[in-house]
Amino acid sequence: MKVLVLGNGGREHALVWKLRQSARVSKLYCAPGNGGIAEEAECLPADLKSLESMVALGERLRPDLTVVGPELPLMLGIVDEFTRRGLAVFGPTKAAARLESSKSFAKEFLQRHRIPTAAYAVCDSIDEVRAALAHFHVPVVVKADGLAAGKGVVIAATKEEATGAAAEMLSGKMVGEAGKRVVLEECLKGDELSFLVMSDGERVAPLVAAQDHKRIGDGDTGPNTGGMGAYSTAEIVDEKMRDWLVNHIARPVVAGMKAEGAEYKGVLYCGLMMTARGPMVLEFNCRFGDPETQPILMRLESDLLDALEASIAGRVSDGDFKWSSEAAVCVVMSSGGYPGTFEVGKKILGLDEAEALVGAKVFHAGSSKRDGEFYTTGGRVLGVSARAGDLKTAVEQAYEACAKIRFDGVHYRKDIAGRALKK
């Protein structure tokens, strides 16, 4: 089979790495890819912001399967367009992807279908923000309604800070068009959980759970990012909780979308807060998460291709996945200054030494390769990952690999999975 992966981040590198292990994949493409992906697939140019560019590539290659990595192509309607042209594609339609592309739609959907989530208010002006804030305690969460690459969220300690953040979003200064509408939310307390399921529009099959680390600094300090690391173990959720999440959150979401005329096929990422009141939905992603995909796929022992095809064909089942009981962890190495202003073009050293370590795998996110050398091209540069028999060993192996890698300005958190290890 010819398989095309759309995207250029660490998630897409992990997808390429796993798909390459399938005996049924004869040719693997990635568009546009990155320096590390080019070592494992043929990278082709494509503009992920242009539906026309992606469709032209699909028509030229006619792949047997296209896997959509990032959210923007889904919002643009890539699945609708490929399906219309008879091209098999994994992911939800534009209408179904509104669960991620509009936080106000997602919150109103959750309310309609009585799925647990935080109290909220949708605001289109600063006057509406000020009026709504009267009904919230602080801290309060301010979210841009649209896609903001994980950066459109501010946890405001005071109502003045919340008003200021909302004003920045509404003006377009903070996240552009994504902030033209804002959502205020009750600030929930508890442990965050990334719970992903595979859906065929009716049935769902859970993947193993993971926990992301959003803040830039150790101890969950500093601004939110796209994710600075993640881990996955068999102990994150037990079987009873997994079944509850499937029956009270994932299945009702898929059933609700079908009832509203937007059948949901693909991966549904449920970002949850495990509160004293029970699990509550923070957000949805309509694709694999990044960096959660890296440790999740490191634990997957069955053929990913089979599971993707089951979603498209309408035959998803729990039997689509076989998981390792071992632990996996991913530590993101970023450019200095990320998620703010950062420099690129820094030479990356030590990659071979890192990957030579037992259990380690380096997934590239923001890198390019020229003249045999790798250079930084983005904010999140590498996802240094490891799998081992227990979480402590996996963490140690990942950080041992990080210590081998060097580039000017490199930054990474030193406490990924730290809370879990303390428990």
Side-chain angles (χ1 to χ4, degrees), residues 216 218 228 331-334 399 402-403 410-414:
I216 188 66
D218 289 358
M228 292 303 295
V331 178
V332 171
M333 303 186 80
S334 68
Y399 278 113
C402 286
V410 62
H411 168 79
Y412 56 96
R413 283 182 57 163
K414 311 302 190 297

Side-chain angles (χ1 to χ4, degrees), residues 194-264:
S194 301
F195 186 72
L196 286 70
V197 300
M198 190 77 78
S199 171
D200 62 8
E202 186 171 339
R203 289 162 290 274
V204 300
L207 283 65
V208 290
Q211 190 167 66
D212 188 14
H213 297 63
K214 287 287 187 190
R215 300 291 191 99
I216 188 66
D218 289 358
D220 293 321
T221 56
N224 269 349
T225 70
M228 292 303 295
Y231 71 94
S232 176
T233 68
E235 293 76 34
I236 292 182
V237 292
D238 59 25
E239 186 175 345
K240 185 176 180 182
M241 177 55 72
R242 182 199 65 195
D243 291 345
W244 193 96
L245 296 174
V246 167
N247 291 322
H248 292 84
I249 294 178
R251 281 202 180 108
V253 169
V254 171
M257 292 299 288
K258 186 173 183 178
E260 294 190 12
E263 185 179 61
Y264 193 99

Side-chain angles (χ1 to χ4, degrees), residues 143-155:
K143 295 183 177 181
D145 182 55
L147 299 177
K151 299 165 194 170
V153 179
V154 174
I155 300 173

